[in-house]
Amino acid sequence: MAKILVVDDDQDILDLLSFNLNKSGFQCVTAPEGRRGMELALSDDPDLIVLDVMMPGESGVEVLKRLKYEPRTRDLPVIMLTAKSEEVDRILGLELGADDYVIKPFSVRELMLRVQRILERVDQTAVSDSAVLRCHGISLNSDRYEVRVQGTPVRLTTTEFNLLAYLLKNKGRVLSRDRLLEQVWGYRYGGTTRTVDTHIQRLRDKLGPESDCIETVRGVGYKVEVARN
């Protein structure tokens, strides 16, 4: 049974999500503020965290920074809860390593779907039937959950790993942002495609000298180059 940690200062949201997550077969633990959420993330070993951006005291963005700094929690998938007016914090959260975000007021059904899809991606990564994917100086080993750039290990988040894997599996093909959202994030996305662009930029930063393997196709999307000039 997967354990979900929900961190939000709104008790009504904590009660709502706790009820629905438990009803859906998850084990839910809750925290009413950021500091307590960080304590539970370290002590309770959750499989995924739903984290509100705007909280008194330690904000969700500050908690996310701590999560990604701590070795025990840096690979935990995180879904951010944000208001429509919090676009800057939402983009910052994605840049810091959040896997997804949901805008308030949100559909509980949509959030449950996103939780399920992220957990499914984690499971699929562990049992992938395509063990090693390579392109130029990049190698991705699904069995070991390992990426190397010119022989040096590179740490990626779950979403970054799956995004790179999908690009490598389709190297040479142009992939639209909508297709990447559907195939990597696992749902048809109704909002901005900035999510893809932000993750691509983070991925390029981590690929370092091999970052130019991911080519931007203006007005369409991205592709992994098979050959270089």
Side-chain angles (χ1 to χ4, degrees), residues 167-168 170-176 180 200 204 211-217 220-227:
L167 287 166
L168 291 176
N170 293 276
K171 58 186 176 183
R173 299 176 61 187
V174 178
L175 303 170
S176 70
L180 288 169
I200 289 287
R204 282 172 169 158
S211 62
D212 60 346
C213 282
I214 302 177
E215 178 184 337
T216 300
V217 181
V220 182
Y222 300 95
K223 71 173 179 177
V224 165
E225 279 288 10
V226 178

Side-chain angles (χ1 to χ4, degrees), residues 42-226:
L42 290 169
S43 65
D44 279 32
D45 295 322
D47 297 287
L48 181 146
I49 299 175
V50 178
L51 179 63
D52 185 33
V53 168
M54 291 298 293
M55 294 183 290
E58 195 166 11
S59 73
V61 170
E62 291 169 332
V63 173
L64 181 62
K65 288 180 182 178
R66 292 179 61 192
L67 288 169
K68 296 304 174 182
Y69 177 79
E70 290 286 343
R72 287 186 59 187
T73 58
R74 64 174 53 150
D75 295 325
L76 279 176
V78 178
I79 298 176
M80 305 292 286
L81 297 179
T82 74
K84 288 184 178 180
S85 61
E86 296 163 6
E87 182 178 3
V88 172
D89 287 330
R90 186 160 63 247
I91 293 170
L92 178 59
L94 291 172
E95 291 173 343
L96 290 172
D99 292 87
D100 204 351
Y101 65 86
V102 175
I103 297 175
K104 295 180 177 178
F106 57 85
S107 159
V108 173
R109 182 177 179 182
E110 178 187 5
L111 181 58
M112 295 298 108
L113 178 62
R114 297 195 187 195
V115 167
Q116 185 64 50
R117 291 295 173 83
I118 288 177
L119 293 175
E120 286 175 356
R121 293 204 312 266
V122 173
D123 291 340
Q124 288 168 2
T125 298
V127 298
S128 173
D129 57 359
S130 180
V132 181
L133 298 168
R134 293 187 176 89
C135 189
H136 305 293
I138 302 170
S139 67
L140 181 148
N141 189 314
S142 295
D143 288 344
R144 297 180 180 178
Y145 196 72
E146 178 183 77
V147 172
R148 289 180 177 269
V149 175
Q150 298 182 358
T152 301
V154 174
R155 182 178 291 275
L156 302 181
T157 67
T158 301
T159 300
E160 291 165 356
F161 187 93
N162 285 297
L163 177 58
L164 179 59
Y166 191 73
L167 287 166
L168 291 176
K169 287 176 183 176
N170 293 276
K171 58 186 176 183
R173 299 176 61 187
V174 178
L175 303 170
S176 70
R177 292 172 175 83
D178 287 336
R179 180 167 182 178
L180 288 169
L181 282 165
E182 182 178 350
Q183 296 298 320
V184 177
W185 276 257
Y187 56 87
R188 292 190 178 277
Y189 189 71
T192 176
T193 54
R194 183 64 182 270
T195 300
V196 174
D197 297 334
T198 302
H199 278 79
I200 289 287
Q201 184 57 55
R202 281 195 355 233
L203 192 52
R204 282 172 169 158
D205 290 343
K206 293 184 178 183
L207 293 177
E210 297 291 340
S211 62
D212 60 346
C213 282
I214 302 177
E215 178 184 337
T216 300
V217 181
R218 186 177 298 275
V220 182
Y222 300 95
K223 71 173 179 177
V224 165
E225 279 288 10
V226 178

